Amino acid sequence: MLLFAASVPTVRHHRDQRIHDRIDVNLSDRAVARSDHTVLVRDIDTVFRGEKIRGRMVEPEGAAAPLPPGVQRYPHPGEMLVSPALRRLLAAPGNGLLRERLAHPVAGEIGDAGLLDPGEHVFYLVANHMTADAAQTRRIDHFGKTYAKKPLPLELVLLCVVGIVVLLLPIGAFIAAAVRFGGERRDRRMAALRLVGANRGMTATIAAGEVALSTLAGIALGVLLFVTGRQFAGTVQIQGLGVFTEDLTPQPLLAALVVVAVLTLSLGITQLSMHKVAVEPLGVVRKSGSTSRRLWWRAALPLLGLILLRISVRNPADLYGTSGVVLVLTGILSLLVGVTAVLPWAVERLTRLFGGFGPLPWQLALRGLQLNGESATRSVNGIAVAVAGAVALQTLLTGLSQNPVDDTAGGARGLSASTRIAVAHLDGGHARGAQYGPALATAPGVQRAIGFQEVSVSPLDGGFPQTVLIADCDQLRLLAQLPACSDGDAFLTVPPARDTMPDMTTWAAGLKLRVDMNGPRWTVPHITSTVRATPACPAAVSSERTLLATPAAAGHTAIAHAVSAVGLTYATGFKDVQDHIRTAAARLDPAFSVDFDERSQGDPALDGVRRALLAGVTAVLVLIAASMLLGAVEQVRERARVLSVLVAFGTPRRTLATSVLLQSVLPIGLGLLVAESIGTALGSTLLELAGRPVTHNWSTLLAIAGIGAAVSLGVTLLTLPALWRSTRPQGLRHE
C-alpha cells in the first residue's frame, strides 16, 4: 500500500501529461489558416446512464493533418475510433440505446496515449461536412499544449493535506500493531534465553533482530506483491478511477523512505514494548494491571490538535507556506493519534464499570479485555483511525461541495415534481429549430418540444453576454405569456420574482450590440412589451432579462449567426428518458448537445480529488481488514490452552464464540464512538479554517461507521474456525 502511495506523484505526472497532449483548442492569438497540416475539431461529448463519454468530431483537411494522441490514422468519413472501455460498453447487453446513438462503424481503437485511464470512454468520429465558421468548430494544426503550473485553490490544498494524513496514518497505526503479533511467544523465548545466560541487553538486541529480519522479509514480500499487482492495475477501478501499469512506478526517494520508515517504526515499537516486560529466567512478568491508565495526557493530545489547528492559519493564504502546512499536519496528527490514546482508557473504564456481573459470555469477554486489553485495542486502532480520518474527510468534502441551491428543478419553474426541461442546441443548424422540434417531440418521455433559434449578443466594449431567442409567434406563445403578437414584435422577459441576483443586461431599442464576442454589429429592435416567461422557457430561471424576437424583428444578421435550439419538457418517471432524448438528438445530428435542467454538478477539480481520496480510503480499509484477520487469529492461538481448559470443564462452544464476539464488539463500539467524535470535531475545525459553514451529512457519517463496524465484525466471524480448532482436547497438551 505504501509503494502504491509512493507512485502517486508518477500517476499524477503521467495523467497531467496525457491531458496536455490531447488538448485540441488553439489557445494562442495566432489564427490558423487551412492547409494540409490542419484538422477541424468539434466537441460532441455525451452521457449514458450517468457515465460521461468524451467525443470529438474531426475532419482532416489534408494528408498531413495532425493525429490525436493514441490514433495511428484517420478512418474513412462516417467511421469512428473508440477506446477499449467504450467498445466494451457498446457491446454490453442492454445498451442498445447507446449503440443507436453512436451508430457508426468502428474502425479501430484509441491507444493508451490518448486516454486518461483504462476505463475512460472516448471516441473520435470522422466527418466530411464540417465548416470552420461554425461557432463550436475550431481549426488546429497540432494537438497538445503545455500549461504553466499554477497553485491549487486553498480548499484543495487543505483537502490534499488531510487526505494524505488520513490515508497514511492508519497504515502506520496498524504496522505498530502488527509488530506485536506473536508477542506472547516471543517473550517466552526471551525468558528461555535468559535461562541459558543471556542478559537483558542481549535479549532486547535479539528481539530487535527478530523484528528486523521479519520486517525485511515482509518488505521483500510487499515489493513482490506490488510488482505482481501492478500488472493487473489496468483492470481495477476504485471510485471510477483507474491507472495504467506504467503509471504505478514509485519515485526512488519515496520508495527508499518507505523502507526506512517501516523498519524504523518496527524497531521503535519493539523497544518500547520491551520496557513493559521483565524477561526473567523463570518466566515473563508484565508490568500492567497494578496502575490505571491516566486520562489527562490522553485527552491532551486531541485538545492540542484542536488548539494547533485554531492558531495555525490566521489567513487562508498561510496554507501555501511551509509553516502553515506543518502546523496543520501536526494538529491533524495529534487529533487522529488521540483516537489511539483515548481508546485504551475507554476500554479499561468500561471493563471496570460493568465487570463482575451479567451472563457468562459477557463476563468472559470483560475478563479477557481486562487481561489482554492492549491486544484488543491494538487490533481496533487501525480501523478507529481510518474511520476518524474518513469522517473528517467526508465532513470537509460535504462543506466544500456545498453550493447555493439551484432552484431550476421542478416546482421552482411552476412545473410538476415529475417534470423537467432540457434544451438541445446545434451550431450551424441553419436556423431549423422549428423543424427539429417535431422530431425530438417523438422521443419517449418528451411531453412538449418548442423549436427556436438562439443567439448571443454583447455590448461593443465586451460587456456581459445577453441572449436573444428567435421564433415565430406560435412558438413564442409557448415560451412566454404574450398579450398579442405579429411578425416584427419583440418582447423582454422579466427575471423571476424570487431571484436576488443583479441584472447585468442592457436592453434599449436602437442600442448597438455585437453578435457573439467578435461578430458583426446588431441593433436592438423596438421592444413591444415586457412579458413573463412560461415554465418551459429557458429564461424562466435566468437572473438576466432575455429578448424574445420574431424573425422580422431579429433581422438577417442575428438569424445568420443563430444556433438552432429546441426546448423540451419531459417526464422524469420515464425510464432512461434523458438517454432517449440524447439518442434522438444524435440521430438528427451527432453534433447536437443537450443540456438538462438539473442542480449544479459541482466543481470538477473537487470531484476529482474527492474520488481519489475515497478510493484511497477504501483501499486502506481493505488492507486493514486483511491484516486484522491475522491479528485476530493470532490472539485465538495465544489463548488456545485457556480455551481448551474451559471446554474441558464443560463450557459450551457457543458461549466461547459469543464471548469472543463480544470481546471484539466492545472495543469496536467504543472505538467507533471515539472516532466519530474526534473525526467530526476535526472536520468541523478544518471547515472553519477554509472559511466554509459547518455542515454534516449524517447519513454518510453513519454509513462510514457502519462500514468500519462491518469490517471489524466480519474479521471476528472469520476467526471462528480458528476458535473451533483451538478448543480441541489436544490443546490441553503443554510442555
Side-chain angles (χ1 to χ4, degrees):
M1 187 66 190
L2 292 175
L3 289 177
F4 278 116
S7 304
V8 168
T10 307
V11 172
R12 180 186 174 188
H13 172 72
H14 288 181
R15 189 180 182 90
D16 289 347
Q17 188 61 47
R18 286 192 287 267
I19 290 174
H20 294 165
D21 288 345
R22 72 180 190 183
I23 289 176
D24 48 19
V25 179
N26 180 21
L27 299 176
S28 66
D29 297 331
R30 174 180 59 90
V32 179
R34 178 183 178 125
S35 70
D36 286 344
H37 300 271
T38 58
V39 61
L40 296 177
V41 182
R42 182 192 181 104
D43 296 352
I44 51 173
D45 299 340
T46 188
V47 177
F48 180 70
R49 291 174 182 164
E51 200 71 42
K52 295 181 180 179
I53 301 175
R54 183 180 191 265
R56 294 294 184 268
M57 182 184 291
V58 295
E59 182 177 335
E61 297 185 300
L67 292 167
V71 175
Q72 301 298 323
R73 64 174 183 83
Y74 285 113
H76 300 296
E79 296 179 338
M80 65 178 182
L81 302 172
V82 299
S83 64
L86 182 56
R87 183 190 282 269
R88 292 192 296 269
L89 188 65
L90 286 168
N95 291 347
L97 201 58
L98 181 62
R99 289 191 290 271
E100 185 180 352
R101 188 185 313 172
L102 302 180
H104 312 285
V106 176
E109 289 189 352
I110 303 170
D112 293 350
L115 307 175
L116 298 187
D117 59 66
E120 189 182 22
H121 301 107
V122 183
F123 72 94
Y124 288 99
L125 174 63
V126 179
N128 60 358
H129 59 276
M130 298 175 66
T131 56
D133 57 351
Q136 298 300 321
T137 302
R138 50 201 180 269
R139 176 180 285 125
I140 58 174
D141 55 8
H142 69 282
F143 286 87
K145 171 70 176 179
T146 302
Y147 284 112
K149 289 186 177 180
K150 60 179 180 180
L152 284 172
L154 293 171
E155 294 87 351
L156 294 189
V157 172
L158 185 61
L159 195 58
C160 291
V161 170
V162 176
I164 291 171
V165 176
V166 168
L167 293 180
L168 297 184
L169 189 59
I171 300 177
F174 203 86
I175 289 175
V179 173
R180 294 294 297 155
F181 288 169
E184 304 279 347
R185 285 179 292 175
R186 182 184 66 195
D187 295 340
R188 289 196 291 271
R189 287 198 304 274
M190 296 302 105
L193 290 174
R194 288 297 308 277
L195 190 62
V196 296
N199 58 33
R200 293 185 180 182
M202 292 174 65
T203 54
T205 303
I206 292 171
E210 286 186 356
V211 170
L213 286 174
S214 60
T215 301
L216 290 173
I219 290 172
L221 180 60
V223 171
L224 179 62
L225 290 173
F226 172 77
V227 173
T228 304
R230 73 189 292 268
Q231 305 302 320
F232 304 96
T235 63
V236 178
Q237 278 199 326
I238 302 177
Q239 294 288 334
L241 294 178
V243 294
F244 292 105
T245 299
E246 59 271 15
D247 294 344
L248 288 179
T249 304
Q251 288 194 349
L253 181 60
L254 292 179
L257 183 62
V258 166
V259 174
V260 172
V262 171
L263 190 58
T264 302
L265 183 61
S266 301
L267 292 174
I269 294 298
T270 301
Q271 292 302 312
L272 286 175
S273 64
M274 292 294 289
H275 286 301
K276 293 186 177 181
V277 178
V279 180
E280 301 295 345
L282 296 180
V284 179
V285 179
R286 280 171 181 77
K287 299 176 181 178
S288 62
S290 58
T291 59
S292 61
R293 293 181 171 89
R294 300 181 184 274
L295 178 62
W296 68 267
W297 71 267
R298 300 174 187 275
L301 273 175
L303 288 176
L304 174 64
L306 284 175
I307 293 171
L308 285 175
L309 289 175
R310 294 285 185 182
I311 66 173
S312 60
V313 181
R314 301 287 185 182
N315 184 347
D318 293 342
L319 284 173
Y320 287 127
T322 303
S323 59
V325 172
V326 169
L327 285 174
V328 170
L329 275 174
T330 306
I332 296 172
L333 286 171
S334 297
L335 271 167
L336 294 181
V337 172
V339 175
T340 65
V342 173
L343 184 56
W345 177 87
V347 172
E348 181 185 84
R349 297 297 297 175
L350 177 73
T351 56
R352 287 188 178 184
L353 287 174
F354 298 103
F357 58 88
L360 183 57
W362 174 263
Q363 293 190 49
L364 286 174
L366 290 185
R367 187 57 179 161
L369 288 175
Q370 288 175 349
L371 294 177
N372 299 289
E374 287 191 9
S375 299
T377 55
R378 272 201 308 264
S379 61
V380 178
N381 273 339
I383 288 290
V385 172
V387 168
V391 167
L393 190 59
Q394 183 60 40
T395 302
L396 182 60
L397 283 167
T398 300
L400 293 180
S401 60
Q402 287 294 321
N403 291 319
V405 176
D406 185 5
D407 287 335
T408 61
R413 306 187 65 109
L415 300 172
S416 66
S418 61
T419 304
R420 296 288 186 273
I421 75 162
V423 181
H425 292 95
L426 177 63
D427 295 330
H430 306 294
R432 291 186 298 189
Q435 287 78 20
Y436 290 136
L440 291 177
T442 61
V446 174
Q447 298 171 340
R448 175 181 288 179
I450 308 171
F452 53 90
Q453 279 71 54
E454 182 178 318
V455 65
S456 176
V457 295
S458 57
L460 298 179
D461 58 0
F464 191 83
Q466 304 171 189
T467 303
V468 181
L469 303 184
I470 307 170
D472 58 32
C473 287
D474 291 339
Q475 299 298 97
L476 288 183
R477 287 191 180 93
L478 300 176
L479 295 175
Q481 301 170 6
L482 304 184
C485 178
S486 60
D487 198 10
D489 289 341
F491 307 91
L492 198 60
T493 63
V494 179
R498 67 182 180 281
D499 194 79
T500 58
M501 297 294 291
D503 180 13
M504 304 293 291
T505 59
T506 53
W507 296 106
L511 180 66
K512 297 291 184 182
L513 299 176
R514 190 179 299 280
V515 176
D516 295 325
M517 298 297 291
N518 301 301
R521 294 191 178 190
W522 177 76
T523 304
V524 178
H526 171 72
I527 299 175
T528 306
S529 62
T530 301
V531 297
R532 187 170 298 279
T534 63
C537 179
V541 293
S542 174
S543 61
E544 312 294 341
R545 294 175 295 171
T546 300
L547 186 67
L548 307 181
T550 56
H556 175 74
T557 300
I559 294 175
H561 291 80
V563 172
S564 294
V566 180
L568 303 167
T569 305
Y570 65 94
T572 57
F574 199 91
K575 183 180 179 182
D576 294 332
V577 60
Q578 293 188 356
D579 287 310
H580 280 291
I581 293 173
R582 288 191 178 99
T583 299
R587 285 204 305 264
L588 293 174
D589 194 307
F592 244 121
S593 63
V594 186
D595 300 318
F596 290 93
D597 195 5
E598 297 175 322
R599 295 181 183 269
S600 174
Q601 299 299 312
D603 183 3
L606 180 63
D607 182 64
V609 173
R610 178 189 63 81
R611 290 191 299 138
L613 293 179
L614 292 181
V617 169
T618 302
V620 168
L621 283 173
V622 171
L623 168 73
I624 292 177
S627 303
M628 277 185 67
L629 182 59
L630 297 178
V633 172
E634 180 66 30
Q635 289 183 34
V636 171
R637 292 178 59 189
E638 292 285 356
R639 300 173 57 204
R641 188 162 177 248
V642 175
L643 295 173
S644 297
V645 170
L646 287 172
V647 172
F649 274 86
T651 306
R653 285 187 174 183
R654 64 175 179 275
T655 300
L656 293 179
T658 305
S659 70
V660 169
L661 186 61
L662 288 173
Q663 195 169 334
S664 297
V665 167
L666 295 177
I668 291 168
L670 285 174
L672 293 178
L673 182 61
V674 173
E676 288 276 352
S677 303
I678 292 182
T680 303
L682 174 57
S684 302
T685 305
L686 292 172
L687 281 176
E688 292 179 7
L689 287 184
R692 295 296 187 93
V694 178
T695 56
H696 300 289
N697 187 340
W698 295 111
S699 61
T700 304
L701 299 185
L702 290 175
I704 292 174
I707 292 172
V711 167
S712 303
L713 294 177
V715 167
T716 303
L717 294 176
L718 289 174
T719 61
L720 292 181
L723 175 66
W724 303 144
R725 290 193 299 270
S726 299
T727 54
R728 293 171 182 170
Q730 289 84 351
L732 293 171
R733 295 176 181 174
H734 182 66
E735 294 184 8

